[in-house]
Amino acid sequence: MSLASKVAIVTGSGSGLGAAYAKALAAAGAAVVINDVSADAAQSTVEEILAAGGKATAVVAPVGTSDAAKQLVDAAVSEFGGLDIVVTNAGILRDKSLLKMTDDDFDAVIAVHLRGTFTVVREAFAYFKENGKPGRIITIGSPTGQRGNFGQTNYAAAKAGIVGMVRTWAMEMKRAGVTVNAVIPVAATAMTRTMPFFASAIEAMDAGRPMHDYFRKELGFGLPDDVSGLIVYLSSDEAAGISGQAIGVGGDRLQVWSHPEPVASYFHDGGWSADEIDAELGGTLVENLQSIGETFPPMPDELAPKA
């Protein structure tokens, strides 16, 4: 799939998943603005793209402010003549359980993930609309934002908020022909390296061996490059009819996440008092309660982490 003549911004692309997205976009023909808070990391990704025959430049700045967002869009226009694609990948973690999480822990994660997505998308959409461009906006969500995860109040709030913004933006951007979607990646990262559950998968990856089907198929867990194909596809002209969606990808699995919908509705003339709810729906409500967090299928014994 060709992205020749397209220009992309990928935030947080000095390493990890962001770097994989940027390199895949460049390999498909797009010129890419690399962004990171580390000048060395950003330049490393730029040099890899240039060495492979692609086009790239770096903007070293922490996302979150309107000034940083403007700097990114200005760099795309001044260096490559325009902007067509934005991938808002930048993020940080400050994991702690609720009673241990400080205001700063919460605010820092919200600033980078949620506000960083908001400011960059707002600046990019203004450019797309002003110039009549049917741009492509790809935000990055997380299974934590979809299902919750222990110790990640700040991250869950940010990632759930991103998907909420995507649904709203899809309506606001439709007339301009701009699409906006959230990708929910599941892949080996610096964070998953610290989790014993994924140890045998990381071992296989580091040794250049294929991951077991348990990881790639049942968990939908794989390499950063396994996510990049969806990023490139959603950036293309062929994906013009896809907007407002949350699409999960990892390993050999791709999933379309549902939007929240009621699972049951009940009616009572004159409304519901607390006693009427208890008398008429006490047991029924419990039967329809929804699960929280992620549950994994049983792991084969040979893949279980060593004690």
Side-chain angles (χ1 to χ4, degrees), residues 199-292:
S200 63
I202 301 297
E203 252 177 55
M205 180 184 72
D206 289 345
R209 302 191 311 269
M211 286 185 190
H212 193 280
D213 278 357
Y214 172 80
F215 294 104
R216 292 193 59 82
K217 296 187 186 303
E218 293 194 57
L219 299 189
F221 177 85
L223 308 176
D225 287 346
D226 294 321
V227 182
S228 298
L230 178 60
I231 300 292
V232 172
Y233 175 69
L234 292 175
S235 300
S236 70
D237 294 340
E238 286 80 358
I242 302 173
S243 193
Q245 303 303 303
I247 305 176
V249 65
D252 298 331
R253 187 179 74 186
L254 188 146
Q255 299 175 310
V256 177
W257 283 84
S258 67
H259 298 310
E261 295 286 350
V263 296
S265 298
Y266 310 99
F267 302 92
H268 190 281
D269 290 343
W272 291 93
S273 70
D275 288 338
E276 287 161 346
I277 293 171
D278 181 52
E280 298 184 34
L281 297 180
T284 306
L285 282 180
V286 171
E287 291 171 4
N288 284 297
L289 297 182
Q290 303 298 288
S291 63
I292 55 174

Side-chain angles (χ1 to χ4, degrees), residues 37-226:
V37 293
S38 165
D40 289 344
Q43 193 55 38
S44 176
T45 303
V46 168
E47 287 170 5
E48 283 190 62
I49 290 172
L50 296 178
K55 298 177 183 176
T57 191
V59 171
V60 179
V63 299
T65 67
S66 297
D67 287 345
K70 186 175 188 309
Q71 191 179 349
L72 288 165
V73 174
D74 287 350
V77 174
S78 63
E79 291 289 330
F80 302 120
L83 178 63
D84 305 277
I85 301 157
V86 172
V87 182
T88 57
N89 169 77
I92 60 171
L93 292 174
R94 297 288 186 274
D95 293 357
K96 290 177 185 172
S97 60
L98 178 60
L99 296 181
K100 295 178 181 177
M101 186 172 289
T102 67
D103 292 359
D104 287 344
D105 293 329
F106 186 84
D107 291 346
V109 170
I110 295 298
V112 178
H113 286 278
L114 192 61
R115 197 168 192 271
T117 296
F118 162 69
T119 53
V120 171
V121 169
R122 181 179 59 185
E123 191 71 24
F125 180 54
Y127 173 83
F128 292 150
K129 192 171 182 181
E130 187 177 320
N131 291 276
K133 284 205 165 191
R136 299 284 180 267
I137 297 169
I138 301 161
T139 69
I140 304 299
S142 166
T144 295
Q146 303 296 99
R147 302 283 299 169
N149 192 35
F150 187 95
Q152 291 194 309
T153 294
N154 44 13
Y155 185 69
K159 290 304 190 182
I162 286 170
V163 177
M165 292 194 300
V166 161
R167 295 186 189 113
T168 298
W169 291 337
M171 293 184 281
E172 295 181 356
M173 297 178 183
K174 185 175 181 179
R175 286 186 62 185
V178 176
T179 66
V180 54
N181 294 285
V183 167
I184 315 297
V186 184
T189 63
M191 182 176 72
T192 54
R193 280 186 177 277
T194 68
M195 301 169 68
F197 188 86
F198 295 104
S200 63
I202 301 297
E203 252 177 55
M205 180 184 72
D206 289 345
R209 302 191 311 269
M211 286 185 190
H212 193 280
D213 278 357
Y214 172 80
F215 294 104
R216 292 193 59 82
K217 296 187 186 303
E218 293 194 57
L219 299 189
F221 177 85
L223 308 176
D225 287 346
D226 294 321

